[in-house]
Amino acid sequence: MVSVLVVGGGGREHALAWKLARSPRITRLIVAPGNGGTAALNAPLDPLDVPALVALALAEAVDLVVVGPEAPLAAGAADALAAAGVRCFGPTAAAARLETSKAFAKDLMVRAGIPTARYRIFEDPAAAAAFVRGVPWPFVIKADGLAAGKGVFLPHSLDDALAVISKVMVERAFGEAGAQIVVEERLDGEEVSVLAFCDGRRAVPMLPARDYKRALDGDLGPNTGGMGAFAPALSLDADALAAVQRDILQPALDAARELESPFVGVLYAGLMITDEGPRVLEFNCRFGDPEAQVLLPLLDADLVQIMLACVDGALCEDMVRWHPGAAVAVVMASQGYPGPHRLGLPISIAPVADALVFHAGTCGARRLQTAGGRVLAVTGLGGDLVGARERAYVGVDAVQFDGASWRRDIGAPPGLRS
Ligand code: AMP
Ligand code: GLY
């Protein structure tokens, strides 16, 4: 029997707690700091305070720590827990460089022969500016380090590109994350996320998922933390998924192991399906948010067993099974998100069949209130995408708070704006 501490306080962590609680092996579940949806399980914690995290894990004598977000992993949460003798589902800071340094990830991909866009890395703004003046391909510019999803730019003109280089490298709009930039070929195609459970040696992929980063319908408006998701994403069939496993996920794991940084946890490959096949846009070192809110409800397996097997280097493909059907998650955000927004507004939620509510920016157990930009996600479940989407939007209609905003086109066929 196993007691588990989940670190984080977003919708992803609520979904993790919801799924872990369904394991027959679980005896105790703590979420730190959690949110209004996990109120009965919450313990106070600043997830970036690694010594406090280790102290909490030891004081509560938990058997497993599951780290949701990337920032504590980048800060060495998994390393410190291992040193204290606590099992941690999540990579070491060195292995997490697949997400925390785009330059590291690019170099590793080239060494391992993983298909990705052409690129150049720059530490000197003048050299970067000279390169973009002459580069013959359309490009994007990426800050090297963590920038909370805001460090990728698709410039419209040379002037725009030069302004981005100056903002990131000279003004350091993202601090040290902008010490290096990657100038990368701009790719066209459909985006798909393939997440995989990893035990250091093996990667077992989950269902392909699709997320929606832009604030407004039709992929317009500013980038956000994610406004919705669905799974399975049918643009990758079983053969294509097997090819992603063989040509992308496994080589990445092998390369990380060769660097003596075996990757344990969830490796997330953000892919562009181009005419020449899938290309990696980015790796993340943890579950996606809101991808977790569609993948975990579809997982027909014991998540505690899978996570322990990952930590112990004993993952098997047959541990990871899926319910048939589909899931669609619609994020409900505060008015104004991703810009300034009001907090502390009362929320009411009526139950809906085949729909789950995963909280993110909420607080208060009996008197639930908004406490963030992305307030919650409603996940609809159905026999197919159409059915799951219908359940998700019925669920959205059953949630009320002042100024609630959400996209109407999550899971809709391209071009549909219902
Ligand atoms: P990333 O954080 O690297 O995934 O980038 C965020 C978003 O920027 C991606 O989801 C894509 O929509 C876009 N993007 C990143 N890299 C490229 C690229 N090489 N070509 C076109 N779009 C890109
Ligand atoms: N949904 C994108 C991410 O979690 O990075």
Side-chain angles (χ1 to χ4, degrees):
M1 300 308 279
V2 184
S3 61
V4 180
L5 166 61
V6 175
V7 177
R12 163 183 50 209
E13 287 76 28
H14 188 187
L16 283 165
W18 175 86
K19 185 64 190 171
L20 288 164
R22 273 150 188 77
S23 166
R25 289 164 213 243
I26 200 128
T27 50
R28 183 147 181 252
L29 185 57
I30 303 167
V31 185
N35 57 39
T38 54
L41 311 172
N42 290 353
L45 178 73
D46 169 2
L48 284 177
D49 186 344
V50 172
L53 163 55
V54 174
L56 177 65
L58 292 174
E60 298 292 345
V62 297
D63 303 299
L64 175 68
V65 175
V66 177
V67 180
E70 63 279 12
L73 296 166
D79 308 75
L81 286 162
V86 183
R87 285 149 126 187
C88 175
F89 180 83
T92 60
R97 281 180 297 170
L98 277 170
E99 172 166 2
T100 60
S101 169
K102 291 193 187 285
F104 173 85
K106 278 296 208 180
D107 287 345
L108 178 138
M109 283 188 255
V110 169
R111 257 203 319 281
I114 294 171
T116 186
R118 287 186 278 187
Y119 70 102
R120 287 275 301 271
I121 295 169
F122 295 96
E123 289 174 8
D124 171 21
F131 180 74
V132 300
R133 283 178 201 280
V135 61
W137 20 271
F139 58 88
V140 305
I141 298 176
K142 301 183 174 187
D144 173 62
L146 289 181
K150 300 189 184 83
V152 177
F153 300 87
L154 287 68
H156 306 296
S157 63
L158 178 59
D159 281 349
D160 198 12
L162 296 173
V164 167
I165 292 170
S166 172
K167 176 174 154 185
V168 175
M169 300 191 85
V170 183
E171 293 163 35
R172 291 290 168 96
F174 306 105
E176 280 308 294
Q180 293 189 90
I181 61 164
V182 179
V183 178
E184 180 177 294
E185 183 180 9
R186 186 164 175 166
L187 301 176
D188 274 326
E190 199 173 323
E191 284 187 51
V192 182
S193 311
V194 178
L195 288 70
F197 291 107
C198 300
D199 73 352
R201 287 174 175 274
R202 265 163 306 224
V204 179
M206 305 184 210
L207 296 174
R210 160 84 206 275
D211 78 335
Y212 294 78
K213 291 199 174 76
R214 300 292 200 94
L216 305 176
D217 287 4
D219 283 333
L220 299 174
N223 264 328
T224 70
M227 293 301 290
F230 69 83
L234 300 173
S235 46
L236 274 187
D237 62 17
D239 288 347
L241 187 61
V244 167
Q245 145 79 10
R246 184 191 64 224
D247 300 336
I248 294 174
L249 297 166
Q250 192 62 50
L253 274 203
D254 293 344
R257 204 151 50 87
E258 273 162 30
L259 293 173
E260 304 198 357
S261 304
F263 189 98
V264 172
V266 170
L267 181 61
Y268 167 142
L271 306 176
M272 187 76 91
I273 312 300
T274 71
D275 292 342
E276 283 85 46
R279 299 281 180 275
V280 177
L281 296 180
E282 63 164 346
F283 283 120
N284 292 320
C285 65
R286 33 96 196 156
F287 266 105
D289 187 338
E291 287 93 331
Q293 292 91 310
V294 290
L295 290 169
L296 293 168
L298 289 172
L299 183 64
D300 183 17
D302 178 351
L303 186 59
V304 170
Q305 181 195 31
I306 292 172
M307 288 180 161
L308 288 175
C310 287
V311 178
D312 295 342
L315 182 64
C316 301
E317 212 161 312
D318 62 8
M319 289 177 184
V320 182
R321 295 173 306 275
W322 301 95
H323 291 291
V328 173
V330 178
V331 169
M332 299 182 74
S334 301
Q335 190 166 23
Y337 175 80
H341 45 266
R342 285 173 65 197
L343 305 178
L345 301 169
I347 308 171
S348 75
I349 302 174
V352 165
D354 294 324
L356 301 162
V357 175
F358 293 119
H359 294 226
T362 74
C363 64
R366 253 167 284 148
R367 295 181 51 203
L368 199 62
Q369 296 186 348
T370 64
R374 288 194 294 172
V375 174
L376 52 81
V378 181
T379 298
L381 301 168
D384 59 16
L385 198 56
V386 173
R389 179 165 191 266
E390 189 266 337
R391 287 289 92 198
Y393 281 102
V394 171
V396 165
D397 285 338
V399 176
Q400 313 259 302
F401 57 91
D402 265 1
S405 61
W406 63 90
R407 278 181 62 159
R408 265 75 176 170
D409 62 347
I410 308 299
L416 196 82
R417 302 272 191 281
S418 67

